Amino acid sequence: MISIKGLSKVFKTKDQDVQAVDNLDAVIESGEIFGVIGYSGAGKSTFIRLLNRLEDPSGGTIDIDNQEISSLSKKELRLARQEMGMIFQHFNLLWSRTVEENIAFPLEIAGMPKEERKKRVDELIELVGLTGRGSSYPSQLSGGQKQRVGIARSLANRPKVLLCDEATSALDPETTDSILDLLVDINAKLGLTIVLITHEMHVIRKICHRVAVMEGGRIVEEGDVLDVFLRPQEKVTKRFVDQVMGDPDREDSLNLIKEKYPVGEVAQFHFVGERTHQALISEVSRKFQVDVNVLHGKITQTQKGAYGTLIVHLEGEKEEIDRALEFVKETSVEVEVAPNV
């Protein structure tokens, strides 16, 4: 669907050249929700603005649905942009227009007849959950409702791709979740390809199929969301995963736990998919002469399945503990033993 090769963007200033995007390659499949995450200055917002040529690239190519975007004329680009919707962090609504009029705006520009336009607007208002609010003005709406208007407007011309630039970062956590659920629903109903920029791993975890981690204008890590959660390779990725799994001081915590339990072993189990729902600890206690004390645990859900971690203390004869840990490994649960966790 989207193929990006050697993409770069240099901003020239009076004092220096700033490389915002640096020789970036990516492939985004049709119908997937593809997340791009990075801290401030990573180049992610520039990257998404390059996709619809709100910024012109300094080099490289962007191919969307077999159309080379970076080489289009202004007229060709206007037509191509009708197949690319975009939603923004701060909504970008027209404050003097009602909800209906905001959603209808791109249809007016496209020259759609009034009767057909009204029918399409009504469909979109229902789709995004704003039935009964069509005559309201943006100042009368909550932040989540404003973003729903922005989403409806971005879908007006039936785009093939929806670009989301920090679409939930101005919203509270509960509203964020409702907007993310809406995007998942739209993706499923319309088969829409969604490219989502964020600095929050919770957003990636909740709705994305795959994720690219950006740093210094480059993609430093990429893969299925569940795989990235399980085995983050880069330091920046591990920091993002810790946002969700909630233990940035894991190594220090485990060392303290090890000191508190000098006898036996402290281990961390990593569960994936169906194993997160199985009674592994009670099974270990029945099969082996070991006492198992659960110290800490957490399960999180991704689009590709559940991922859980459990820190336990096992006490008993070393041979029996080793047998118990080997049994756990054979169940496809990953095991890390302190102090090497």
Side-chain angles (χ1 to χ4, degrees):
M1 177 60 176
I2 303 176
S3 176
I4 301 155
K5 295 179 181 177
L7 187 64
S8 66
K9 177 63 181 181
V10 178
F11 290 102
K12 296 184 180 294
T13 67
K14 184 178 178 182
D15 300 322
Q16 61 179 338
D17 291 350
V18 178
Q19 184 91 45
V21 175
D22 186 6
N23 196 32
L24 187 149
D25 295 332
V27 175
I28 300 169
E29 301 295 340
S30 179
E32 77 172 338
I33 304 178
F34 186 85
V36 180
I37 191 167
Y39 289 107
S40 179
K44 58 189 187 298
S45 288
T46 302
F47 165 67
I48 203 167
R49 289 170 65 85
L50 288 168
L51 291 184
N52 63 359
R53 283 207 27 212
L54 287 176
E55 297 285 353
D56 288 325
S58 303
T61 60
I62 303 165
D63 191 293
I64 300 179
D65 201 21
N66 298 317
Q67 186 175 43
E68 218 288 273
I69 297 298
S70 45
S71 64
L72 296 181
S73 67
K74 288 183 178 180
K75 183 179 179 181
E76 290 169 332
L77 183 59
R78 279 196 299 272
L79 292 173
R81 278 181 177 153
Q82 290 183 9
E83 297 189 338
M84 290 183 279
M86 188 162 186
I87 57 177
F88 303 87
Q89 177 180 355
H90 297 296
F91 321 128
N92 285 17
L93 301 181
L94 299 168
W95 297 92
S96 61
R97 285 180 170 240
T98 64
V99 167
E100 289 177 341
E101 290 167 343
N102 265 282
I103 297 170
F105 186 60
L107 299 175
E108 291 173 26
I109 294 173
M112 181 180 285
K114 187 174 181 180
E115 191 174 317
E116 192 178 339
R117 196 163 67 224
K118 176 72 167 63
K119 183 181 177 183
R120 178 63 177 153
V121 169
D122 289 345
E123 288 174 359
L124 290 165
I125 285 176
E126 184 178 354
L127 177 67
V128 301
L130 288 175
T131 301
R133 301 309 302 264
S135 59
S136 299
Y137 287 89
S139 61
Q140 299 171 311
L141 304 176
S142 67
Q145 289 171 330
K146 290 171 190 170
Q147 193 57 285
R148 287 172 185 269
V149 178
I151 292 170
R153 182 184 58 189
S154 73
L155 298 175
N157 282 314
R158 304 182 190 276
K160 296 176 181 177
V161 179
L162 180 61
L163 307 176
C164 308
D165 189 4
E166 298 279 10
T168 60
S169 61
L171 305 175
D172 63 75
E174 187 175 344
T175 306
T176 291
D177 281 346
S178 72
I179 293 298
L180 295 178
D181 288 339
L182 175 60
L183 290 174
V184 170
D185 187 49
I186 287 168
N187 171 256
K189 285 180 178 176
L190 306 181
L192 198 63
T193 303
I194 299 178
V195 183
L196 185 147
I197 299 295
T198 184
H199 63 277
E200 299 172 292
M201 200 62 173
H202 163 72
V203 173
I204 299 294
R205 188 272 304 171
K206 187 172 175 66
I207 73 167
C208 294
H209 302 115
R210 289 194 301 129
V211 60
V213 182
M214 284 191 71
E215 188 176 35
R218 292 176 172 268
I219 291 177
V220 296
E221 191 162 349
E222 182 182 351
D224 287 345
V225 169
L226 185 57
D227 291 340
V228 170
F229 264 85
L230 276 172
R231 287 172 283 274
Q233 300 299 310
E234 299 294 326
K235 186 176 179 180
V236 63
T237 311
K238 291 175 183 177
R239 287 171 64 193
F240 279 123
V241 170
D242 280 338
Q243 282 184 6
V244 176
M245 298 314 291
D247 193 5
D249 301 315
R250 185 178 71 122
E251 193 170 328
D252 291 341
S253 300
L254 289 168
N255 286 334
L256 288 171
I257 291 170
K258 185 68 175 174
E259 289 175 16
K260 188 175 180 180
Y261 297 97
V263 178
E265 293 284 7
V266 174
Q268 182 162 260
F269 298 160
H270 299 277
F271 300 82
V272 186
E274 291 303 314
R275 292 304 303 180
T276 57
H277 305 295
Q278 295 180 11
L280 181 63
I281 299 304
S282 58
E283 196 175 350
V284 168
S285 298
R286 285 198 307 270
K287 285 181 177 288
F288 304 96
Q289 294 297 310
V290 294
D291 293 323
V292 184
N293 182 22
V294 176
L295 305 177
H296 175 75
K298 187 168 184 178
I299 294 176
T300 192
Q301 191 72 35
T302 76
Q303 285 289 313
K304 291 291 184 75
Y307 163 52
T309 60
L310 195 66
I311 298 174
V312 299
H313 172 243
L314 297 93
E315 191 169 348
E317 296 293 332
K318 186 178 186 315
E319 222 174 85
E320 195 71 358
I321 292 174
D322 290 344
R323 287 179 62 229
L325 292 175
E326 194 58 39
F327 167 77
V328 173
K329 291 176 185 176
E330 287 171 1
T331 66
S332 300
V333 172
E334 293 186 15
V335 178
E336 296 178 88
V337 180
N340 299 315
V341 286

